[in-house]
Amino acid sequence: MSNRQRRKSLSIFRPPLQPLTPIRDEPPDSAPAATLKKRRPISCTDDESPMSSPGAQKIERTDSKRSLSRLMTKDRSRGTQKDGRPSSIFGSLRSLSSLKDEDENSAPSPSSMHSAASAIPDVAAGLLIHHGPLPEVSGVFRRRCPYLVLTDLHLTQFKSQGRASEVFPDISGPHGPAKTNLRHSRLSSSSSIHEVQGPSDGYYSIPLVHVIAVYKLDDGEPYFSIEVAHLNDNTSSASTMTLQIHDPGESSAWLTAIRSAASKARLTSSVFFPSSLVEYTAKSLEREQDYHPDHFHMFKVVQRANKSGKRSSSDDLTKLTSKICILAVGMYKIHIVPLPKSAKSSSSTSLSELSGTSHGIVTLSSVNIQTFDDSFQLWFRIPFKPPHALHLAALCVHEVASYIRQATEYLRPEWIEQPFAWIAPSSLNDDALLPLAPEEDDNLAFDRTLTAYCAGYAIDTSNIRYAINYTCDDAPAFELLPRGSIRRPKYSSMELLAIFRALRYNETFHTIRFGGINLDVLNGLCDPHGWEHTPWTRRSGEPVDLGEQQRTSILIQEVRALALKSRRLRRMDFSYCFTRRPSSAGAVPDSGCGICEALFPLCVKQYTNVDWVVLDGNLLADVDIDYLYAAAIEKSSRFRAIEVGHCGLGDRNLEIVLQALSHQGETLEALSCCGNFARLQPLDLREYFDQFSFIRTLDFSNTYRTSGAEPLFAFNTLRRWKLTELSLSGSSINPETLAVLADYLRDPQSNSLKILCLNQCGLTGGNVKDLCRAMTRSTPRQLHLFISENYLEQEHARLVEAVEQSLTPSQVTMEMLEYREEENYRSLLQAWARNTSTVYLDMSKVALPLAASTATAAALEAMLANNETLQILNIEGEETHLESAIFGPTLNQALLGLKQNKVLKVLHVEHQKLGMPGANTIASILEENSTLLELHCACNGFSLQAFTVIVSSLKNNTTLLYLPYMEEDREAEFKKWDREFEGWRDSGLRSLTTPTKATVNTMRRSLGAAMPGPLQIANRPIGSPTKQKRQYTQQQADRLLTSINTKWDKEMAMMQGFLQRNHNLAHGSHGLPQENRGAIENERPATGLSARTSVQLGSNEATPLGEPDRQLGVSMGAASDNGDGAVDRLEDDGDMETALMMSKKLNLD
C-alpha cells in the first residue's frame, strides 16, 4: 500500500479539525484598537506578536533552504500501486493505519521537487506567529491530519504536521515533544471556494496582503466560527475560509493573531486597487449620478450573512455565504458595488451574484463598529419605512468609518449633533476623525445639504424652488416657492421633509417663509419606525422638556427642530399653509393646525428666539387658541407679532386673542386681525390699543365694526405709535375715522408711515384729495397710497386737482377703477401728464364703457411723452369670461409716446390684446427708446411672427434688460392650432374643397413663419374644387406644431443673447463674445420695422408641409393677384390703420 498512487480528494469529506494551540499565551483581547492618524487602521501595533508566551524569548526566521533540503531527502513514489493494480478514480481504499504510516514517512516524488522548491520558500520566508494541528478525521475514501500555520506573510495549511515541521523547524514533528498544549476543543476548516494551493499539493496558502476581513460568524452555539475573506487582485480570485471552533478562548486567539498579522501585512502593501477595478467602481457611481473625483473613496469589504439565533453545523457552513464586494463612498450615497464578473470564481462554490445597492448618506441612522473583530454594521432608514442594515466586515473598518463620518459632516456641516448613533471604539472619537477641507459655500452649504437629502430620499431636485430675500425685514429670508411641476403643484411629504431638514441648524436665515405652500400632508402624519430626527435638545445641547415628542406628528417635530436649532431665526411665516377646517363634532377633539402646538410652548419656556409668527389664512381650532393664549399671557414670551388674519375667528376667539396680546404691549410691533368674522366695537378696541406702546404695523382690513359715530381709533393712540404700515382696506370708514386719519397724516409723527392701504373703503375723489393734502410736505411724501376699487368718479374733479397740483405721494396704486364717463378718465390722464410728485403709478385694470377713443389715446400718448417723473407705469388690462378691462385697439397709437419719453424705466402692458399691430409698435419703440429697462408685455396674443418682430428690434436696442419669454402667448398659439385642427376633423373639412381666402392667408402666414423654404402650393384659382379629396393627417399637424415650437425656442435663445449683451454693457463689461455676436448678426433680419416687412418675411419663408396648401387648392399668385388681399394692401400702405385691417383679415387679434 505504500506505493499506491495518491489522488486529490473532494472537499465534501473534510474531517473535523484539531485545536490549534498558540505558541504565545497573551490574551487575545489585549490588542489595542487602531488609530486614524495613519489613515489605515490596524489591529495590533506592537512589533512582537500578541500571542507570544512568557517563556518564548525570540523566534528566529526559518532557514528555507535547510527546510527544503530536509523535505527533499525523503522519497515517496506515486507512480505505481501495490500488486500492480491500476489506480481507482478516488484512490485506493486504505486502512487507517496504513494511511497514517504513509503520511508520516512519505516524501515528495522527484517529479515534484522542482515545483516545490520554487513555492515553499515563499511560504516559509516569514516570522512564525501561530500554529496548531488539525484533528485526524476518518473518511470513506481517505483520511488526513492537516496542520495550520500563521506567519507574518501567509496563512498556510499543510497536509500533515510533518510537512509543517520540515518547513518550520520551530514546529515539532509528529513524534517529537509537542510545544503546544492541546485542549479538548475541536477546530475544523472549510472554504467557500478553492484556496490558493501549492504546486506540490502538499499545502495551500493565503497571502495576508490578500486578506479583506477576519471576523466571527454569528451562527449561534455551540461553535465559535471565524471567517477569513481574501481577494487576489492578480488572479481575480475572491474566496472565504471558515474555521469552526468549539472553544471560545481558542477562537479569540486565532482571531486576534490573524487580524494582527493581516493588518501589518496590509500596511506594507503599496498597491491597493487595480486601475481596472477603480474605473469599474467609478462607472458604477456615475450611473447613479454620484461620482465626484474629490469625494470618492472605495474599500474592499465583506457583506456578511446574517444568521443570528440559529444553530449551525458543519453542513450549514456552506449555506452561510459571505460576499466580497466594494464599498464606495460617493458624493451623496454609500454604494455596495459587486465585484466585476472577471473577479468571481468559476467553481461550483463561487460567490453568488450580488446586485449593487445604494443608500443615501443622510439616511444613515446607526454605525456600529465591533471591537473584537473586523465586522461593523451600517443602518439606513428612509422616513416612514423600517431601517435596513448592512452587515459588513473589513480590515480597514476604522478607515471606512472615518470617511463615512467625514462625508456626513461634509453634507451637514452646520449640524452640531448628527442624527445617527455612533457606536465605535474610543480611537474613533471626534478628535481622531478626518478633518474637513475648507470649502466656501453660500448660505452655509444649504444647497449641498438639500441636494443630499433629495438624493437620499429619491427626490427630483428640479421640483424644489426657493428664493432668498435680502431686502425684507429680518433679512435674509428663505422663501419656499410653489413646486416646479404643473401636473403635481403640491409638495410631497418627502420633499417637505428634505426642505425642513436641510434648513435645520442653518443660521443663515433670520426668516423662514412657507406662505402659500400646502403643509396638510405633514399634519397628523407620524413615523413609528424611528425617532432619530426628533429634537430632544436645543442647539447648545441642553435637553428640552416637551413631553413625549415621539407621539407628535412629523410637522410638529420638524417645526420645533427649526426653532430649537437656530439662534438667529426670528420670524416664521406659515400663512395659507392649511386647507383643513376645524371640526367641533365627534368624540375626538380637533388637533389643530400643529403650528401653535409646535412653537408656542417653546416661546413660553424661552427655548427659541422666534418671536414673530404668521398664521394668516389658516382656520384655527379651539386647541390652537388655547396654545396661543397660554403663550401670550406670559411676558417671558416677548412676542413681536402674532398675525391671525383670515383665521375664521369669531367674536369670542378674537376677544381672547386681543386680551392675551395686551400682555405683550411692551414688545408687540405688529398686529393683524384682518378678514375675521368678528364684529369690533370701537370703544372696546381702543382699550386694547391703549396697552400697545410700540406698534409698527396695524392691519384691520376687511373687518366689521358696530354702527355708531365713534372713530375706530383715537388720534392720541395713532400719534403715540410710530406706524410704518396701516391697512384698513375693505373696512367701512366713517367721516369721524377719516378726520382722525387726516389729522394723523398732518402730524409730524406720521412721517414714519410708508404704506397706507385704503382699498374698498368707499372713498370718493374728494376724500382722496383731503388725505393727499394732509400728507403733503415741502417735498413729495415718500409713501405708497392704495386707493383701488373706490368711488373715485364721485367728486372726480377734486381728485384731478390733487393730481394736477402734485399733492399725491411718491407711489400711488389706483387699479380696478370703473368709469361711466370716458371723459373723466381722459381728464385724469391729462392731469398725470403734468404731475411732478409721483414716480410709481399703477392704473391697471381700468374699465371703460367702450374701447378708448382716439382722443383718450392721444391723452395717454401725451402723458407718456410729457411726464418727467414717472419711472414705473402699470397699465395692464384684464379679460375674463364675464368682463373685460382693456384699453382697446387705440393703445397702439398711445404707446408711440414712449419714443419721446426719457425717464420711464419699467412698463407693464400685459393682457391688452395687442396682437401683431402691437408687436410692430413695440418693435418701433424699442428701436428709438434708450431709457426703458423692463418691458412686461406678455399675454397679448402674440403669434410666432409677432414675437420674431419684437426680438428683431433688440438688435439696435442696447439698454433693455428684461423682456418676457411669452410662454403664455406660445401656449395660446398652440391651443389655437389644436382647435383649428380639431375643427377640420370634426366638421368634415379634411377634404378642404372650397377654402376661403382668409383661411388660406392665415395658413400660409403661420406656416411660413414656422418653417423655411419655398411654399409648394398648387397654381389653382380660389374656390375651384379639387379633383381628388386628400385628408389632412395627424402626422402633418404634429410636424407643424413641432416646427413652430422649434422656431419659438430659437427666437427665445436669440432674445436671451441680446439681453445678455445689454446686461454686460450696463455693468461696464463688453457685449457678447465675438463668436456669439457673429452668429446673432447673421441670424437676425435687417430690421423688424413694419407689418409689411413682417408679412413679407413670413410669406417668403416656407414649410415642407406643402400638402396642406395643395389641399387648400391655392397658389401664391392666387393670393397676391386679388386686389383685396391683405398682403397687397400692406405693400401699398404701411401705416397703423393698414396694420389694424391686416390683423383683422389675418385673424391675429
Side-chain angles (χ1 to χ4, degrees):
M1 296 293 289
S2 60
N3 296 327
R4 185 175 300 167
Q5 183 178 359
R6 172 167 291 183
R7 299 179 57 87
K8 194 184 297 185
S9 65
L10 297 180
S11 61
I12 60 175
F13 297 103
R14 293 192 175 180
L17 305 182
Q18 289 291 346
L20 301 181
T21 305
I23 63 175
R24 303 178 183 181
D25 298 331
E26 185 177 343
D29 296 334
S30 63
T35 61
L36 295 177
K37 295 181 180 179
K38 295 185 179 181
R39 302 173 65 93
R40 297 189 186 96
I42 56 177
S43 298
C44 182
T45 58
D46 298 335
D47 295 335
E48 189 177 0
S49 173
M51 299 305 300
S52 61
S53 61
Q57 299 296 330
K58 182 178 181 181
I59 299 179
E60 299 180 354
R61 289 187 175 271
T62 303
D63 190 347
S64 302
K65 295 183 179 180
R66 184 180 61 181
S67 301
L68 180 61
S69 61
R70 185 185 301 111
L71 178 64
M72 297 175 63
T73 56
K74 298 183 179 181
D75 182 21
R76 183 173 66 179
S77 175
R78 296 193 180 191
T80 60
Q81 265 186 329
K82 190 176 180 178
D83 300 332
R85 295 179 182 178
S87 301
S88 170
I89 60 174
F90 293 102
S92 302
L93 300 178
R94 294 166 290 180
S95 64
L96 298 178
S97 60
S98 62
L99 181 59
K100 181 176 181 179
D101 296 337
E102 181 178 334
D103 287 341
E104 295 175 356
N105 301 322
S106 61
S109 63
S111 61
S112 63
M113 289 180 182
H114 177 72
S115 59
S118 62
I120 292 182
D122 294 336
V123 176
L127 181 67
L128 187 63
I129 297 178
H130 200 66
H131 66 93
L134 305 181
E136 180 181 304
V137 177
S138 301
V140 178
F141 302 105
R142 61 176 299 181
R143 69 175 187 176
R144 63 177 182 175
C145 185
Y147 201 86
L148 194 62
V149 177
L150 173 65
T151 67
D152 60 348
L153 298 178
H154 294 82
L155 177 64
T156 308
Q157 179 176 337
F158 292 91
K159 280 193 171 182
S160 64
Q161 185 176 353
R163 283 295 187 91
S165 64
E166 291 167 355
V167 178
F168 299 95
D170 294 323
I171 300 177
S172 63
H175 299 290
K179 295 184 179 181
T180 60
N181 183 18
L182 296 179
R183 304 176 185 177
H184 293 288
S185 62
R186 299 180 62 85
L187 180 147
S188 61
S189 173
S190 64
S191 61
S192 60
I193 69 170
H194 295 300
E195 286 78 7
V196 182
Q197 297 191 6
S200 64
D201 200 26
Y203 72 97
Y204 57 88
S205 178
I206 302 174
L208 293 183
V209 295
H210 296 166
V211 175
I212 305 300
V214 184
Y215 51 92
K216 289 184 177 181
L217 277 182
D218 191 10
D219 55 355
E221 295 291 343
Y223 304 107
F224 302 91
S225 302
I226 300 174
E227 191 164 76
V228 181
H230 53 96
L231 172 65
N232 189 343
D233 294 327
N234 298 327
T235 61
S236 299
S237 175
S239 39
T240 57
M241 172 188 288
T242 303
L243 301 178
Q244 189 173 356
I245 307 173
H246 290 211
D247 185 79
E250 196 70 32
S251 174
S252 298
W254 273 106
L255 180 66
T256 304
I258 298 175
R259 286 185 66 200
S260 175
S263 298
K264 290 182 178 180
R266 178 176 177 268
L267 293 178
T268 62
S269 177
S270 58
V271 179
F272 294 99
F273 295 101
S275 58
S276 59
L277 186 59
V278 175
E279 183 178 0
Y280 163 77
T281 307
K283 289 182 177 179
S284 299
L285 268 65
E286 285 180 351
R287 287 194 296 268
E288 295 288 335
Q289 299 180 354
D290 193 40
Y291 175 76
H292 192 282
D294 297 335
H295 301 275
F296 171 69
H297 307 282
M298 56 184 294
F299 310 92
K300 301 173 186 177
V301 299
V302 179
Q303 189 170 4
R304 301 182 293 115
N306 185 21
K307 296 290 183 179
S308 179
K310 296 184 179 180
R311 294 178 61 87
S312 302
S313 64
S314 59
D315 295 336
D316 295 331
L317 292 176
T318 58
K319 302 178 182 179
L320 301 178
T321 305
S322 297
K323 308 177 178 82
I324 298 178
C325 51
I326 300 297
L327 184 144
V329 181
M331 185 74 176
Y332 303 109
K333 297 180 180 179
I334 297 175
H335 307 263
I336 300 298
V337 182
L339 294 176
K341 293 183 179 180
S342 60
K344 296 191 177 177
S345 171
S346 58
S347 64
S348 60
T349 57
S350 63
L351 299 176
S352 60
E353 294 291 334
L354 177 64
S355 59
T357 58
S358 300
H359 303 274
I361 296 177
V362 295
T363 64
L364 189 67
S365 61
S366 177
V367 178
N368 189 357
I369 302 174
Q370 304 298 334
T371 58
F372 51 83
D373 62 359
D374 295 334
S375 63
F376 63 100
Q377 296 84 34
L378 300 178
W379 292 80
F380 301 89
R381 197 180 76 85
I382 298 177
F384 315 112
K385 293 182 180 180
H388 174 75
L390 290 179
H391 299 272
L392 306 172
L395 276 176
C396 55
V397 55
H398 289 189
E399 192 173 350
V400 173
S402 297
Y403 277 110
I404 291 178
R405 182 66 180 269
Q406 184 189 51
T408 60
E409 299 284 351
Y410 174 77
L411 296 179
R412 290 182 292 226
E414 296 301 312
W415 285 55
I416 298 177
E417 181 182 358
Q418 295 290 337
F420 58 85
W422 180 258
I423 306 173
S426 58
S427 58
L428 282 176
N429 55 20
D430 294 340
D431 297 335
L433 295 177
L434 297 174
L436 288 175
E439 185 171 341
E440 295 183 1
D441 200 347
D442 294 337
N443 306 316
L444 298 179
F446 171 74
D447 285 341
R448 186 197 312 168
T449 307
L450 179 59
T451 306
Y453 273 104
C454 290
Y457 296 166
I459 297 171
D460 185 3
T461 55
S462 63
N463 291 329
I464 298 178
R465 300 167 60 246
Y466 69 91
I468 300 177
N469 191 341
Y470 293 94
T471 60
C472 63
D473 295 336
D474 294 329
F478 172 85
E479 300 177 355
L480 184 61
L481 302 179
R483 191 174 185 268
S485 176
I486 300 178
R487 295 183 178 180
R488 294 182 55 191
K490 296 181 180 180
Y491 285 101
S492 65
S493 59
M494 300 297 288
E495 291 170 337
L496 291 173
L497 281 181
I499 297 169
F500 270 103
R501 291 172 182 178
L503 288 170
R504 190 183 297 193
Y505 280 102
N506 194 305
E507 293 192 331
T508 300
F509 311 113
H510 297 183
T511 300
I512 295 179
R513 290 176 178 165
F514 291 95
I517 305 301
N518 190 283
L519 300 180
D520 286 328
V521 66
L522 293 181
N523 191 16
L525 185 64
C526 297
D527 188 357
H529 300 288
W531 304 284
E532 63 271 12
H533 281 87
T534 303
W536 305 105
T537 61
R538 301 176 63 183
R539 184 183 180 90
S540 60
E542 177 187 353
V544 296
D545 182 15
L546 297 173
E548 297 182 356
Q549 293 194 72
Q550 62 271 21
R551 295 186 179 182
T552 58
S553 67
I554 291 293
L555 176 66
I556 295 176
Q557 294 180 13
E558 295 300 326
V559 172
R560 283 180 177 175
L562 292 181
L564 286 170
K565 304 300 183 179
S566 177
R567 295 166 300 183
R568 299 184 179 180
L569 184 61
R570 302 293 304 276
R571 184 185 306 218
M572 301 189 74
D573 184 355
F574 295 97
S575 58
Y576 298 93
C577 289
F578 304 96
T579 59
R580 54 174 295 280
R581 302 184 67 87
S583 60
S584 57
V588 180
D590 193 286
S591 60
C593 66
I595 303 300
C596 298
E597 181 180 355
L599 289 179
F600 291 143
L602 304 182
C603 298
V604 173
K605 298 184 179 182
Q606 298 182 356
Y607 286 156
T608 180
N609 291 330
V610 175
D611 53 13
W612 194 305
V613 182
V614 181
L615 300 173
D616 292 340
N618 304 311
L619 299 181
L620 301 181
D622 292 340
V623 64
D624 296 322
I625 301 299
D626 293 341
Y627 279 112
L628 189 153
Y629 181 82
I633 61 176
E634 298 291 339
K635 291 187 177 181
S636 59
S637 300
R638 301 187 63 85
F639 285 116
R640 290 190 299 150
I642 297 181
E643 301 184 21
V644 289
H646 301 278
C647 291
L649 302 181
D651 295 343
R652 177 178 177 276
N653 285 338
L654 183 58
E655 184 178 358
I656 292 175
V657 170
L658 292 176
Q659 182 180 0
L661 291 179
S662 62
H663 294 80
Q664 305 293 323
E666 297 180 358
T667 59
L668 201 68
E669 298 179 7
L671 179 62
S672 175
C673 298
C674 61
N676 288 296
F677 304 137
R679 183 178 293 273
L680 302 176
Q681 297 184 5
L683 295 179
D684 296 338
L685 188 61
R686 274 188 277 179
E687 293 181 4
Y688 295 125
F689 284 167
D690 291 339
Q691 303 295 325
F692 304 132
S693 303
F694 302 99
I695 292 293
R696 302 290 182 268
T697 302
L698 184 64
D699 187 357
F700 270 78
S701 57
N702 297 305
T703 56
Y704 303 95
R705 54 158 292 172
T706 58
S707 59
E710 302 86 358
L712 189 60
F713 30 66
F715 169 73
N716 292 330
T717 302
L718 293 178
R719 192 176 183 278
R720 187 175 69 251
W721 296 339
K722 291 185 178 181
L723 289 175
T724 59
E725 180 178 350
L726 176 61
S727 178
L728 300 175
S729 298
S731 302
S732 178
I733 299 181
N734 55 11
E736 291 76 13
T737 303
L738 192 62
V740 171
L741 186 58
D743 293 338
Y744 170 69
L745 292 175
R746 293 188 187 96
D747 194 277
Q749 288 294 108
S750 67
N751 291 340
S752 60
L753 188 65
K754 302 300 179 184
I755 299 176
L756 179 59
C757 298
L758 299 175
N759 301 322
Q760 292 182 316
C761 290
L763 301 181
T764 64
N767 299 142
V768 173
K769 181 181 179 180
D770 294 337
L771 294 176
C772 290
R773 186 178 297 277
M775 68 179 67
T776 302
R777 301 292 188 267
S778 58
T779 58
R781 181 71 178 268
Q782 299 300 315
L783 183 144
H784 195 161
L785 177 62
F786 292 85
I787 51 174
S788 303
E789 299 182 80
N790 283 297
Y791 306 129
L792 300 185
E793 198 171 13
Q794 299 180 14
E795 300 182 349
H796 192 269
R798 298 189 61 193
L799 174 63
V800 171
E801 292 177 2
V803 173
E804 189 171 6
Q805 295 174 9
S806 300
L807 301 179
T808 55
S810 60
Q811 303 176 59
V812 177
T813 297
M814 47 192 312
E815 61 179 12
M816 300 185 70
L817 302 180
E818 294 186 6
Y819 280 93
R820 298 181 180 180
E821 300 292 336
E822 183 182 348
E823 183 179 357
N824 293 331
Y825 182 61
R826 189 186 311 130
S827 63
L828 182 61
L829 294 176
Q830 294 171 352
W832 282 116
R834 294 184 288 270
N835 184 275
T836 59
S837 62
T838 301
V839 297
Y840 173 93
L841 177 61
D842 185 354
M843 296 180 62
S844 59
K845 306 173 185 177
V846 175
L848 300 176
L850 296 174
S853 62
T854 306
T856 304
L860 179 57
E861 181 180 5
M863 170 188 165
L864 295 175
N866 300 328
N867 188 284
E868 298 180 354
T869 57
L870 276 179
Q871 298 182 13
I872 302 175
L873 176 62
N874 188 348
I875 53 174
E876 176 186 351
E878 183 183 31
E879 186 175 13
T880 62
H881 294 289
L882 300 178
E883 59 182 357
S884 177
I886 61 176
F887 195 90
T890 57
L891 180 60
N892 293 294
Q893 175 186 350
L895 291 177
L896 294 176
L898 290 173
K899 292 184 178 182
Q900 306 175 28
N901 191 286
K902 303 300 180 183
V903 294
L904 191 66
K905 297 180 180 179
V906 180
L907 175 64
H908 291 263
V909 66
E910 299 100 328
H911 299 283
Q912 288 288 0
K913 298 182 66 175
L914 296 178
M916 186 66 197
N920 294 322
T921 302
I922 292 175
S924 62
I925 292 172
L926 293 179
E927 290 185 343
E928 298 186 25
N929 187 285
S930 59
T931 59
L932 199 61
L933 301 180
E934 297 181 15
L935 178 59
H936 302 261
C937 57
C939 304
N940 274 295
F942 290 146
S943 62
L944 172 59
Q945 188 169 0
F947 186 41
T948 303
V949 170
I950 296 176
V951 175
S952 300
S953 65
L954 292 178
K955 179 181 180 181
N956 299 324
N957 186 295
T958 60
T959 57
L960 191 70
L961 301 179
Y962 174 81
L963 191 67
Y965 285 142
M966 314 292 184
E967 291 289 352
E968 296 84 357
D969 299 86
R970 172 196 271 191
E971 185 178 354
E973 179 81 0
F974 275 88
K975 288 182 178 180
K976 183 185 72 174
W977 276 107
D978 288 338
R979 290 194 301 267
E980 192 164 353
F981 292 150
E982 188 68 25
W984 285 348
R985 288 190 293 268
D986 294 343
S987 60
L989 294 179
R990 295 177 180 177
S991 59
L992 300 176
T993 55
T994 56
T996 63
K997 182 163 53 178
T999 304
V1000 172
N1001 290 338
T1002 304
M1003 183 76 176
R1004 180 187 296 108
R1005 179 173 173 276
S1006 298
L1007 296 180
M1011 308 180 68
L1015 285 172
Q1016 304 294 331
I1017 304 177
N1019 190 5
R1020 187 163 50 250
I1022 297 290
S1024 59
T1026 58
K1027 295 181 180 180
Q1028 183 179 2
K1029 296 182 179 181
R1030 304 183 65 179
Q1031 294 185 354
Y1032 189 82
T1033 64
Q1034 183 64 34
Q1035 182 181 5
Q1036 291 172 329
D1038 294 340
R1039 289 174 57 193
L1040 172 63
L1041 296 179
T1042 301
S1043 179
I1044 294 176
N1045 191 44
T1046 303
K1047 181 69 174 177
W1048 204 293
D1049 290 336
K1050 184 179 180 181
E1051 296 298 325
M1052 289 173 58
M1054 202 67 59
M1055 181 189 72
Q1056 188 175 8
F1058 285 129
L1059 295 179
Q1060 183 64 41
R1061 176 202 63 187
N1062 297 351
H1063 181 273
N1064 294 340
L1065 293 174
H1067 290 79
S1069 59
H1070 297 289
L1072 289 176
Q1074 185 63 35
E1075 57 273 14
N1076 296 341
R1077 187 185 308 149
I1080 290 180
E1081 290 178 356
N1082 293 334
E1083 284 290 338
R1084 301 314 312 153
T1087 182
L1089 288 177
S1090 63
R1092 172 176 176 271
T1093 306
S1094 304
V1095 174
Q1096 285 182 346
L1097 224 136
S1099 301
N1100 293 332
E1101 292 178 350
T1103 171
L1105 294 179
E1107 188 63 28
D1109 291 315
R1110 287 192 292 271
Q1111 292 180 25
L1112 289 172
V1114 185
S1115 65
M1116 180 67 76
S1120 60
D1121 291 342
N1122 194 326
D1124 296 333
V1127 176
D1128 290 336
R1129 283 197 298 272
L1130 286 172
E1131 293 177 353
D1132 298 334
D1133 189 6
D1135 58 4
M1136 187 56 61
E1137 295 296 328
T1138 305
L1140 293 175
M1141 297 176 63
M1142 183 258 333
S1143 64
K1144 185 179 298 184
K1145 280 289 185 182
L1146 296 183
N1147 246 352
L1148 292 174
D1149 283 346

